[in-house]
Amino acid sequence: MDNRSVLIIDDDPNVIEMLSMALARHQWEVESALDGESGVQLVQHNTYAVAIVDRVMPGIDGLETIRLLKEADSDIQVILHTGYPSIESSIEAIREKVFDYLCKPYDVGAMTRIVDHAARQRALAIENRNLLEQLRLERNSLDRQVRATKKAIEKEVEESGMFLGDSPAVKRIRHLAIQVAPSDMTVLLLGESGVGKNVLAKLIHRWSGRETEAHVKINCPAIPESLFESEVFGHEPGSFTGAVSRKVGLFELGSDGTVVLDEIGDLPLLSQAKLLQVLEDREFLRVGGCKTIEINSRVIAATNAPLDRLVKEGRFRSDLYYRLSEYEIHIPPLRERREDIELLIDYFLYQYSKKYQSGDLTISPEIIKGMNEYDWPGNVRELESLIRRFALAGSEHELERFLAGDGSQGKTQPSSASALPGPGKPCEDGLNAEAKSILSILR
């Protein structure tokens, strides 16, 4: 307590002298006033930790004096004492938020202890207010930094064309990714194979502030269940047959960066339990180890499986699902955002024409129309692969062949019986003249 000043306001000089002597022995600096008006004037020009106010005085009474003292200094702690106690005055004292209410005569030692407590209360109140103000300033500063970071990310996205698309769905996905990237929330990316989940995971890592740390991808279905713990968490030498040296696990490699759990829906239940414990505790032991390893990695999970349905079927742990789905982003298939197809075609065409030095390749409007009508079961990955082959070949024949034959599985097929060949009648579409002649001889 820096402030050791006490103001006594009482119309009895003997009371003032008695209290002043007792408080001075406890290293308090004491000033006094014989009426409320004088006491209020002192508070208006000086700072006191505590004021001891008499209830009955000439001029303004003690309660009115307390109100004026609080107006002059809201931090001052007031102790009201009186030789004429009443229920009404005690209720008024409570309303005025006095620190304590004493009835004369009282033990002077008790008064000094109450003054000490009141001063400490004042110091704590001021400290709390200062801390709250500091937190408010820091929060405002952090808010400004977050807003600036998000604006910088938005500008980078617009200028770089990352996660391409002009459809409302893609714009929403980019917005969600920008919102969650600076946080430490676990993100669950949902969508069919080939929609760009891993691309989005890389972008979230890039925008997260961890871009200088490791980005580790764990392909869950590619790790045998018997080796999951060793591969993901590592092992110590001698922990099992063949463990001749220490192995650092994938989670440890991505400790301060981002760990992507790809195709998490294919993870066996036993491995799910081990993963859940690590996500909750943020620590683990290597297989055969005794030293706890703490991690600070950002976790992103991706899957094309309907996890909510797997949970109902008992094939995926509900607690792990809720842990992973802190923030969900659903990426729709390409057939549901066809307005992005031409933009993606132009982007991949530019990239691979440049890579394979194919010159300025163009695609005819008829082929573009066919590609817009195709359902792209392989999504963006399938489109990219097709454009890559086209850029390498340098001929539209690759695209025509794809749309006429290889890509037919992505088109809507006729459902009427007349569209199908009859029993025993082979389909002759696509046969050359020689084959048709042989077929007629066989018939």
Side-chain angles (χ1 to χ4, degrees):
M1 295 180 296
D2 296 330
N3 192 322
R4 301 282 299 179
S5 299
V6 178
L7 175 63
I8 303 172
I9 306 175
D10 198 298
D11 61 341
D12 188 340
N14 293 327
V15 172
I16 291 176
E17 182 179 3
M18 177 187 64
L19 290 176
S20 298
M21 291 175 62
L23 291 168
R25 285 196 297 268
H26 290 79
Q27 288 76 49
W28 285 99
E29 298 177 2
V30 183
E31 293 190 44
S32 61
L34 293 172
D35 56 67
E37 291 90 340
S38 301
V40 171
Q41 290 178 5
L42 286 173
V43 172
Q44 289 173 343
H45 296 89
N46 303 282
T47 301
Y48 303 94
V50 182
I52 302 172
V53 181
D54 190 16
R55 169 70 178 85
V56 180
M57 294 183 294
I60 60 174
D61 66 3
L63 293 173
E64 180 62 24
T65 299
I66 291 172
R67 283 190 283 270
L68 295 174
L69 291 178
K70 291 285 188 179
E71 288 179 5
D73 182 358
S74 60
D75 292 323
I76 193 169
Q77 295 294 319
V78 179
I79 300 170
L80 184 66
H81 66 167
T82 180
Y84 306 96
S86 67
I87 294 177
E88 292 78 8
S89 64
S90 62
I91 293 174
E92 286 296 324
I94 293 172
R95 288 176 179 170
E96 296 301 330
K97 298 181 181 178
V98 301
F99 183 79
D100 211 335
Y101 180 93
L102 297 180
C103 299
K104 299 177 183 178
Y106 49 78
D107 178 47
V108 176
M111 174 62 83
T112 58
R113 290 191 295 272
I114 293 171
V115 169
D116 281 335
H117 294 159
R120 292 184 184 280
Q121 179 68 28
R122 175 184 180 276
L124 286 173
I126 293 174
E127 182 180 2
N128 287 340
R129 186 175 66 244
N130 291 339
L131 286 174
L132 288 173
E133 177 63 16
Q134 182 180 350
L135 287 173
R136 186 187 67 82
L137 294 174
E138 291 178 355
R139 184 178 62 188
N140 290 342
S141 175
L142 182 61
D143 288 343
R144 288 193 296 271
Q145 292 177 23
V146 170
R147 287 195 296 270
T149 300
K150 289 180 178 178
K151 286 183 179 179
I153 292 173
E154 289 173 356
K155 183 178 180 182
E156 181 182 357
V157 171
E158 291 175 358
E159 292 178 351
S160 65
M162 293 184 290
F163 205 80
L164 284 172
D166 284 334
S167 64
V170 169
K171 291 178 180 178
R172 180 177 177 274
I173 290 167
R174 286 200 293 257
H175 173 74
L176 293 175
I178 291 170
Q179 291 293 317
V180 76
S183 73
D184 287 331
M185 294 183 72
T186 302
V187 181
L188 178 60
L189 304 179
L190 301 169
E192 295 179 4
S193 178
V195 294
K197 297 186 294 294
N198 286 319
V199 173
L200 191 59
K202 290 179 181 178
L203 298 182
I204 292 175
H205 170 71
R206 178 174 176 177
W207 303 331
S208 67
R210 300 171 182 257
E211 66 275 10
T212 58
E213 303 295 339
H215 176 270
V216 178
K217 178 182 174 182
I218 301 177
N219 190 355
C220 295
I223 303 176
E225 185 174 4
S226 59
L227 297 178
F228 179 82
E229 197 170 359
S230 173
E231 290 293 321
V232 175
F233 308 127
H235 62 249
E236 295 290 349
S239 56
F240 54 86
T241 303
V244 296
S245 61
R246 171 181 290 174
K247 176 181 175 62
V248 177
L250 295 173
F251 249 104
E252 191 173 349
L253 290 174
S255 177
D256 294 316
T258 301
V259 174
V260 179
L261 303 170
D262 194 26
E263 298 306 339
I264 188 70
D266 295 332
L267 197 63
L269 283 170
L270 181 59
S271 299
Q272 291 177 30
K274 296 175 181 178
L275 177 62
L276 174 65
Q277 183 178 359
V278 174
L279 294 180
E280 289 183 340
D281 299 339
R282 311 300 293 178
E283 62 183 27
F284 60 88
L285 296 174
R286 295 193 190 102
V287 177
C290 57
K291 180 183 177 182
T292 299
I293 300 171
E294 297 182 355
I295 58 171
N296 184 36
S297 52
R298 168 73 169 283
V299 176
I300 300 174
T303 181
N304 58 15
L307 292 188
D308 52 351
R309 191 178 73 194
L310 295 183
V311 168
K312 293 178 181 178
E313 295 173 355
R315 292 191 288 159
F316 199 86
R317 294 179 63 104
S318 60
D319 45 7
L320 179 58
Y321 172 64
Y322 298 133
R323 172 67 65 177
L324 294 173
S325 60
E326 279 188 312
Y327 196 96
E328 285 190 10
I329 300 179
H330 180 265
I331 307 174
L334 190 55
R335 62 184 174 273
E336 293 181 8
R337 48 186 178 98
R338 295 183 183 273
E339 57 266 56
D340 295 330
I341 293 176
E342 290 191 44
L343 183 63
L344 290 166
I345 290 172
D346 291 341
Y347 174 75
F348 292 136
L349 190 58
Y350 170 78
Q351 293 291 325
Y352 290 113
S353 295
K354 184 178 179 181
K355 180 177 182 179
Y356 299 132
Q357 299 180 352
S358 304
D360 296 330
L361 296 176
T362 58
I363 301 176
S364 65
E366 293 78 12
I367 298 295
I368 291 291
K369 182 176 181 295
M371 295 174 76
N372 277 321
E373 293 174 351
Y374 180 60
D375 279 345
W376 301 104
N379 291 294
V380 179
R381 184 184 293 129
E382 183 182 18
L383 174 60
E384 180 182 6
S385 178
L386 176 62
I387 298 301
R388 186 174 184 175
R389 296 198 303 271
F390 167 61
L392 183 63
S395 170
E396 276 195 357
H397 176 69
E398 181 70 27
L399 303 179
E400 293 171 349
R401 186 175 66 84
F402 174 83
L403 293 175
D406 292 352
S408 60
Q409 71 276 14
K411 293 182 178 180
T412 303
Q413 300 295 330
S415 57
S416 62
S418 61
L420 300 175
K425 180 182 177 182
C427 177
E428 300 180 9
D429 291 346
L431 297 179
N432 57 29
E434 183 179 359
K436 289 181 179 180
S437 175
I438 295 174
L439 184 59
S440 63
I441 294 173
L442 292 174
R443 286 173 179 167

